[in-house]
Amino acid sequence: MTNWLEIDKYAKEWIKEAGARIIKSFSSELIIQTKSNKNDLVTQIDKGTEEFLINKINKVFPSHRILGEEGLSEELEDLKGIVWIIDPIDGTMNFVHMQRDFAISIGIYEDGVGKIGLIYDVVADELYHVRKGNGVFMNDIRLLPLKDTAVDEAIIGLNATWVTKNKRIDPTILEPLVKESRGTRSFGSACLELAYIAAGRMDAYLTLRLSPWDYAAGKIMVEELGGKVTTLRNEPLDLLTQQSFFASKPGLHDEILQKYLKEGNW
């Protein structure tokens, strides 16, 4: 029988250790490379953090599988067994330019079902964590279940750059949502935006393309608190591919899908 308490204990220790390593790196010169485009950055700290976590997992849980952003883990074609989905630094552009507003994200799944989620805001020293069925916490503070919120009272996570640069999308489709919401925000770190929904700091987050390691942990948190997480087509997410992404409080999720997102070619 899987000992989830033990796995949770180790995961928390390792994510804190990884965070401390990142803080120590602030005085080092960064080696910055690009991946898919000039704004898709990766540093030696991203790669070093992923390698650190993979080594820890392999040593203590050799039967577990790993899916990581930086390509240091195996390529997975399914989610059978226990799978750790890791983003060593979500918000690398923030890390490079500001040394804040980035996080380490770890989602642990069993046969495709989220069991443990950890999002560590390294600079703020805020560890958001969930063990399925046992609530969501920010450090030692238990977070409250999510309540329905209307669009005109909602803060929506939406990155205008994604919308205006995507040639498939007519940016005017989202104008009514932007105008009628209380406000929009973009923090440059998907996992932090999901943690903020869990903490009640934001009400929804949507984006045109997101990878599993960006949301694996946050998805578990939002759903644990009663929120909904789907694609922009209201379809289940595939944790092995990039897709559109939409997470929000329960009633708000339905309102936005039905009133604002029906016309989009998502």
Side-chain angles (χ1 to χ4, degrees):
M1 184 159 176
T2 303
N3 188 338
W4 291 107
L5 278 173
E6 180 186 39
I7 295 171
D8 188 50
K9 172 179 170 290
Y10 276 112
K12 286 174 180 171
E13 287 178 4
W14 297 338
I15 204 169
K16 282 292 191 85
E17 286 181 42
R21 287 164 54 95
I22 291 173
I23 292 291
K24 287 181 180 179
S25 79
F26 281 175
S27 59
S28 305
E29 182 179 353
L30 287 176
I31 301 170
I32 304 168
Q33 298 173 307
T34 59
K35 295 189 287 186
S36 61
N37 61 68
K38 67 182 179 64
N39 294 324
D40 188 8
L41 307 180
V42 63
T43 72
Q44 80 273 28
I45 310 303
D46 296 72
K47 294 178 179 179
T49 301
E50 183 167 305
E51 185 177 20
F52 168 82
L53 292 169
I54 288 172
N55 288 340
K56 291 286 189 181
I57 297 164
N58 285 337
K59 183 176 180 180
V60 179
F61 303 110
S63 66
H64 293 188
R65 304 161 74 203
I66 304 167
L67 177 63
E69 179 178 13
E70 304 309 336
L72 303 178
S73 58
E74 58 186 306
E75 288 191 18
L76 301 185
E77 296 182 355
D78 59 60
L79 292 174
K80 293 177 182 177
I82 296 177
V83 179
W84 296 57
I85 305 178
I86 297 171
D87 195 335
I89 297 181
D90 184 46
T92 300
M93 189 179 293
N94 292 347
F95 170 68
V96 169
H97 286 271
M98 303 185 297
Q99 292 189 335
R100 64 181 64 244
D101 295 332
F102 64 89
I104 307 169
S105 176
I106 299 174
I108 307 175
Y109 285 68
E110 183 178 41
D111 296 327
V113 177
K115 297 293 187 178
I116 291 172
L118 302 155
I119 296 172
Y120 185 34
D121 184 336
V122 174
V123 175
D125 194 25
E126 292 180 344
L127 177 60
Y128 302 84
H129 54 101
V130 58
R131 187 161 48 85
K132 185 177 175 62
N134 291 274
V136 184
F137 295 79
M138 191 276 286
N139 292 338
D140 295 325
I141 301 170
R142 188 184 186 98
L143 302 180
L144 299 175
L146 299 176
K147 296 181 179 179
D148 288 358
T149 301
V151 166
D152 61 1
E153 296 178 342
I155 300 295
I156 311 289
L158 177 65
N159 187 333
T161 304
W162 280 94
V163 176
T164 57
K165 287 188 176 182
N166 191 304
K167 296 179 181 179
R168 291 190 303 107
I169 303 299
D170 177 0
T172 61
I173 291 173
L174 291 172
E175 279 185 14
L177 176 60
V178 172
K179 289 178 179 177
E180 294 172 30
S181 68
R182 179 164 282 173
T184 61
R185 299 289 185 272
S186 178
F187 292 94
S189 169
C191 73
L192 279 182
E193 305 213 35
L194 294 174
Y196 292 165
I197 292 175
R201 298 174 182 175
M202 290 174 52
D203 302 292
Y205 170 67
L206 60 95
T207 185
L208 304 179
R209 189 183 71 190
L210 206 61
S211 296
W213 41 79
D214 297 312
Y215 64 78
K219 177 179 186 292
I220 305 171
M221 294 179 192
V222 172
E223 291 178 339
E224 177 79 5
L225 294 173
K228 295 184 72 174
V229 184
T230 66
T231 69
L232 292 174
R233 294 174 179 260
N234 199 25
E235 296 169 344
L237 291 161
D238 179 353
L239 282 150
L240 294 172
T241 63
Q242 282 189 336
Q243 300 167 279
S244 65
F245 182 88
F246 178 36
S248 121
K249 294 179 175 179
L252 183 63
H253 190 277
D254 297 336
E255 181 184 359
I256 290 175
L257 278 171
Q258 294 168 12
K259 188 176 179 181
Y260 300 97
L261 300 183
K262 290 177 69 174
E263 303 303 320
N265 179 27
W266 315 114

